[in-house]
Amino acid sequence: MSQLAYKRTNVYEKADEKLLKEIFDYAEGYKRFIDEGKTERESCAYVKQAAIAAGYKPFKFGQKLVAGDKVYYDNRGKNLYLIKIGTKNVAEDGVRIIASHIDSPRIDFKQVPLYETENIAFAKTHYYGGIRKYQWATVPLALHGAVALKNGDVINVKVGEDENDPVFYISDLLPHLAAKQNAKTLGEAIGGEDLNIWLGNIPYTAASDDKDKTVKENLLKILNEKYGMDEADFLSAELCVVPAFKAKDIGFDRALIGAYGHDDRVCSYPAYTALLDETENPHTTMVILADKEEIGSEGTTGMQSSLFIDLMDEIAASFGVSSAAVRANSMCLSADVNAAYDPNYPEVCEKLNSAYVSCGAGITKFTGARGKSGSNDADAEFVAYIRRIFDENGVIWQTGELGKVDVGGGGTVAKYIAKYNINTIDIGVAVVSMHAPYEVVSKADVYETYLAFRAFLK
Ligand code: MN
Ligand code: MN
């Protein structure tokens, strides 16, 4: 091949025994992380614990930070900031930021969820994020979340993950009776109000004759015994229905990992482990695990919350320097997944510019839809800088785009950081079947993304 031509590198093609072992070992830690955190609350708690074990202390507004400080800010248990203060002048050197998100598409209970018909009790739901609804029927589902009681107590709920737990279910038609449904489009086959969760089937026969002998009453009794809650407590609950699957290796050679919620925990794990492992780094660094990305980064825990800029201001104030100067010299990796080229569906991708499974960390210069609408289009100069540090550190990386022009599109948190005058670029792992109950990534890409973050932070 010409010395002048550009060609992607397949990590597995290049990997020696040592690299292969590193890739596979790193994947084991990631699988534990993704099994333990299926909601933003669980992922936030998991990473917070790891940070505390690594010596991170809670940050309080007004606190003066000094070089060597390692702090975390837990935003409502759903959004976590890890900050390490470096030895370099923060007004000149800025902050190195890696921002990923820890919420994933799922199905939430409505606030008045319970109903019963024909002796079957169900929960009404409202899906969260972009899902293809038909994929969520007839798979085992778990219930994760929190019930906030009026007295201020919060009960954590997690049912369906233990080997002996029951799971939950959304039904679909049998093929014998599905002729009419089969004629519908995939998008219309199962509607939003059809995603009703099967909860129970045994009536409360122990009730006295003047009381309700319904299935719903029986469920309320079980819930009251288990959690001390009553039906009105659903009003102040966040209960998330997620796939009950565990992360597993895929294929005879175990090159790939299947799991729920790779988007975007597959970037969150490399982000925080890179920070905790990069102990010699002189720069001030910040890792953000954001919530609400899947619904537009809104709310107090989403990337559009002023908390991000408040914390940047606190860092600047600690050193008596201009926050604008800190931001102007900061840079950010928006760590989010991209679509992997899937040979089964080549029609939605353009071959030259797609990200390929096992070809390393994927840089996406721009996302968006149609004419790059809604995209942070990173400067060529910043792309060149990133190329240099990755190549100097032996990171295997590639570029990607979110599908063919005019086929669809999407966005990330990049633009919500870039708008503060911070150079930002999207980078992450390519995912097969993104937003499905079981998504697939390459172990090699997870590890190269970790190496990319290490290179960026040091
Ligand atoms: Mn994402
Ligand atoms: Mn997503």
Side-chain angles (χ1 to χ4, degrees):
M1 192 184 92
S2 157
Q3 289 288 305
L4 297 176
Y6 167 71
K7 189 177 172 287
R8 275 185 184 72
T9 308
N10 182 293
V11 182
Y12 286 128
E13 214 169 83
K14 196 200 144 180
D16 54 16
E17 224 167 274
K18 180 176 166 281
L19 178 59
L20 205 59
K21 185 176 182 323
E22 285 169 9
I23 289 169
F24 273 65
D25 287 351
Y26 188 75
E28 292 309 303
Y30 172 58
K31 286 193 287 183
R32 274 193 296 280
F33 166 72
I34 198 160
D35 282 344
E36 286 299 318
K38 290 193 173 182
T39 63
E40 59 276 2
R41 285 176 189 272
E42 291 168 358
S43 299
C44 183
Y46 189 95
V47 178
K48 184 169 132 180
Q49 207 172 27
I52 290 169
Y56 280 70
K57 302 269 186 282
F59 174 78
K60 288 196 174 59
F61 277 102
Q63 176 183 340
K64 192 173 152 52
L65 295 163
V66 297
D69 275 355
K70 297 190 286 183
V71 295
Y72 68 85
Y73 189 88
D74 176 352
N75 180 14
R76 298 166 167 85
K78 301 184 196 182
N79 162 216
L80 192 70
Y81 283 76
L82 303 179
I83 301 167
K84 186 153 142 303
I85 306 296
T87 48
K88 294 212 169 194
N89 180 337
V90 78
E92 289 162 10
D93 193 54
V95 181
R96 309 244 161 146
I97 304 161
I98 305 178
S100 69
H101 67 93
I102 47 176
D103 62 315
S104 296
R106 59 177 190 242
I107 299 173
D108 288 341
F109 270 33
K110 289 193 190 190
Q111 299 323 119
V112 183
L114 298 188
Y115 72 101
E116 172 175 349
T117 178
E118 318 306 324
N119 276 343
I120 303 162
F122 292 95
K124 291 301 296 178
T125 64
H126 197 140
Y127 64 96
Y128 172 98
I131 63 167
R132 307 189 72 194
K133 300 177 195 86
Y134 73 91
Q135 294 178 336
W136 293 69
T138 70
V139 297
L141 300 166
L143 187 64
H144 293 228
V147 183
L149 302 180
K150 277 201 287 188
N151 67 7
D153 289 350
V154 176
I155 305 159
N156 288 315
V157 174
K158 189 173 179 179
V159 182
E161 297 298 339
D162 190 87
E163 225 18 70
N164 300 311
D165 277 357
V167 294
F168 303 93
Y169 191 70
I170 296 168
S171 55
D172 194 4
L173 278 174
L174 54 167
H176 318 65
L177 303 178
K180 223 169 158 185
Q181 189 196 40
N182 284 343
K184 291 185 180 178
T185 65
L186 274 177
E188 290 165 342
I190 294 184
E193 293 291 354
D194 299 329
L195 298 173
N196 302 315
I197 311 291
W198 288 64
L199 291 181
N201 187 221
I202 299 176
Y204 187 40
T205 48
S208 56
D209 282 339
D210 58 325
K211 291 268 166 32
D212 230 349
K213 293 192 191 246
T214 61
V215 177
K216 181 180 152 184
E217 191 62 25
N218 193 40
L219 287 183
L220 286 172
K221 197 172 162 290
I222 293 170
L223 289 171
N224 188 263
E225 278 165 11
K226 198 167 160 66
Y227 302 113
M229 64 181 287
D230 58 33
E231 191 175 8
D233 292 323
F234 281 110
L235 296 170
S236 50
E238 289 176 356
L239 294 170
C240 311
V241 177
V242 296
F245 311 126
K246 297 259 187 280
K248 295 269 185 193
D249 292 347
I250 300 239
F252 283 119
D253 59 9
R254 299 176 173 263
L256 311 172
I257 309 169
Y260 161 69
H262 282 313
D263 176 8
D264 183 31
R265 297 182 185 94
V266 75
C267 297
S268 304
Y269 184 74
Y272 91 81
T273 53
L275 177 69
L276 298 189
D277 294 347
E278 195 56 63
T279 49
E280 296 305 311
N281 146 31
H283 309 290
T284 291
T285 51
M286 175 190 274
V287 165
I288 308 169
L289 307 180
D291 179 28
K292 302 271 191 284
E293 192 278 339
E294 296 295 355
I295 58 168
S297 298
E298 312 285 354
T300 51
T301 52
M303 204 59 238
Q304 294 199 66
S305 158
S306 80
L307 174 60
F308 166 61
I309 216 65
D310 293 343
L311 288 168
M312 291 293 282
D313 288 349
E314 291 284 303
I315 294 171
S318 288
F319 296 94
V321 299
S322 144
S323 190
V326 174
R327 287 188 273 121
N329 292 312
S330 294
M331 50 187 152
C332 174
L333 297 183
S334 163
D336 208 343
V337 300
N338 201 342
Y341 181 85
D342 181 347
N344 282 319
Y345 300 96
E347 64 278 9
V348 299
C349 287
E350 185 266 290
K351 278 193 159 183
L352 272 180
N353 287 283
S354 295
Y356 289 77
V357 161
S358 300
C359 286
I363 284 186
T364 306
K365 187 175 182 295
F366 53 84
T367 57
R370 302 176 302 280
K372 304 190 179 181
S373 181
S375 161
N376 157 60
D377 193 351
D379 297 331
E381 291 84 347
F382 188 48
V383 181
Y385 167 80
I386 295 294
R387 277 178 64 193
R388 180 161 60 80
I389 59 164
F390 287 178
D391 288 348
E392 280 173 3
N393 288 280
V395 176
I396 301 176
W397 62 278
Q398 59 181 327
T399 58
E401 65 174 1
L402 192 50
K404 262 185 187 167
V405 179
D406 286 342
V407 168
T412 65
V413 300
K415 61 178 175 178
Y416 304 119
I417 295 164
K419 74 173 182 178
Y420 292 111
N421 191 29
I422 296 172
N423 267 329
T424 303
I425 190 165
D426 282 299
I427 173 173
V429 173
V431 176
V432 179
S433 304
M434 195 195 296
H435 287 203
Y438 214 57
E439 304 170 319
V440 173
V441 297
S442 158
K443 287 179 183 177
D445 295 339
V446 184
Y447 189 62
E448 291 298 332
T449 299
Y450 165 75
L451 295 182
F453 295 169
R454 291 284 301 257
F456 175 72
L457 292 183
K458 85 175 190 194

